[in-house]
Amino acid sequence: SCHRPAGKPASREPGSGGLPEGVEYIPRRKKGKNPMKPVGVAWYSLYARTRLGYLFYQRQVKKARERYPHGHSVPQPYCFPGVKILPIPVLSNNYSYLVIDTGSSQAAVIDPSDPLAVQAAIEEEGVVLEAIFCTHKHWDHSGGNEALRQKHSSCKVYGSALDAIPQLTNPLTDREKVSVGSLTFEALATPGHTVGHMVYVLDGDPFGGPPCLFSGDLLFLAGCGEPFEGSPETMLASLDVAMGLGEDTLLWPGHEYALECLSFASLLELDNSALEQKLQWAVQQRQEKRSTCPSTLGEEQTYNPFLRTHRPELQEALGLWQGGGEDLDTFRARVLKEVRRRKDLYQAT
């Protein structure tokens, strides 16, 4: 069954669900399963650029299949007239997405981390896989490309030529559009996490739905990817590209990091009621192993510190002020760098 957004799509109330009355949430640190969290330059080079990274990914897949035989989260499919978006929980916290043109039964998948899980969804939905959209080269996003192409020989693999994406058949440039059945995806270059990181935007207009942003590791619910291959200025520019998509845009991130990201954000802005409500909602969702996606870009701007570098309340909380003669974007990049530094320290504890 599908959740079918009504009116303004996915205007999920930040606090819906919440905690039982009288129960207070106290953030408790729990180490993430991301192989690069926290990470050194040497390990990142091994993971991203050598066969060791692929072997580590294979071990990740094996362990996750044993630990989460039905996936790490209970996803909720979203439908608009003519479109179905099916989140596929893979590895220990990744999401792949099967996006279906229900009229033609043609489909695309974004970041097929575990080919078996993706293939099972393809078979269950009875669709033809026409395209793989890869946000970036990291194995936990691209590791299923080869196996799926072997099974679906006419399937094309899209992504940036700047990233070493496995099985890439159709390199894309910034703002290039691709059609899958009656679906139209636009690729946006968003470097920072990797040099060739791209996000994909599904045009919802023909279906009476909102734009859908498949953000990979650029943007998470209340979070942002590590700028492994870019500066704070580069990452800020990429985040601004995403923010230009409009407040009703649905955010479909590459990882289930909501609880960790919201817990961290709540330490920065103690008086942010939208953040407090969203954290309570996320606690409830995760207690029930439910997925926390999608959110909307409008909602994200109320609590995601990586998108609030222009907000005086965050700047003040960080103890940062714009210098005389310092232009706004330079200052915002400095704010972003400090948020990132604190997030890395938070992850490392």
Side-chain angles (χ1 to χ4, degrees), residues 156-327:
K156 296 181 174 67
V157 178
Y158 296 91
S160 171
L162 298 176
D163 263 22
I165 290 172
Q167 301 287 309
L168 183 67
T169 61
N170 292 64
L172 294 174
T173 55
D174 185 36
R175 307 283 171 177
E176 193 168 347
K177 294 183 178 180
V178 178
S179 293
V180 177
S182 58
L183 309 175
T184 301
F185 295 86
E186 183 177 13
L188 301 177
T190 51
H193 184 66
T194 65
V195 170
H197 193 286
M198 279 187 148
V199 299
Y200 299 97
V201 183
L202 172 67
D203 182 4
D205 269 354
F207 311 98
C212 292
L213 169 62
F214 299 94
S215 61
D217 281 0
L218 170 69
L219 195 57
F220 311 125
L221 193 156
C224 169
E226 282 269 11
F228 289 121
E229 299 179 10
S231 65
E233 289 78 8
T234 303
M235 186 60 93
L236 179 66
S238 292
L239 291 171
D240 283 349
V241 166
M243 283 305 96
L245 294 172
E247 292 191 355
D248 66 333
T249 302
L250 298 187
L251 173 65
W252 301 94
H255 290 269
E256 179 56 69
Y257 287 159
L259 208 50
E260 177 184 298
C261 290
L262 287 163
S263 297
F264 164 71
S266 70
L267 300 177
L268 298 182
E269 291 194 65
L270 302 178
D271 299 321
N272 185 328
S273 59
L275 172 54
E276 184 182 346
Q277 288 181 352
K278 189 69 178 184
L279 177 55
Q280 289 178 348
W281 173 84
V283 169
Q284 187 69 36
Q285 289 290 103
R286 297 312 296 155
Q287 282 176 347
E288 298 168 6
K289 295 295 182 192
R290 291 187 177 276
S291 168
T292 58
C293 57
S295 61
T296 67
L297 293 187
E299 198 183 323
E300 287 296 314
Q301 290 177 73
T302 68
Y303 52 66
N304 187 329
F306 295 94
L307 301 179
R308 293 172 59 78
T309 54
H310 61 295
R311 302 290 300 188
E313 53 267 47
L314 178 64
Q315 297 162 4
E316 189 177 329
L318 296 171
L320 296 176
W321 287 268
Q322 189 171 355
E326 182 181 31
D327 72 73

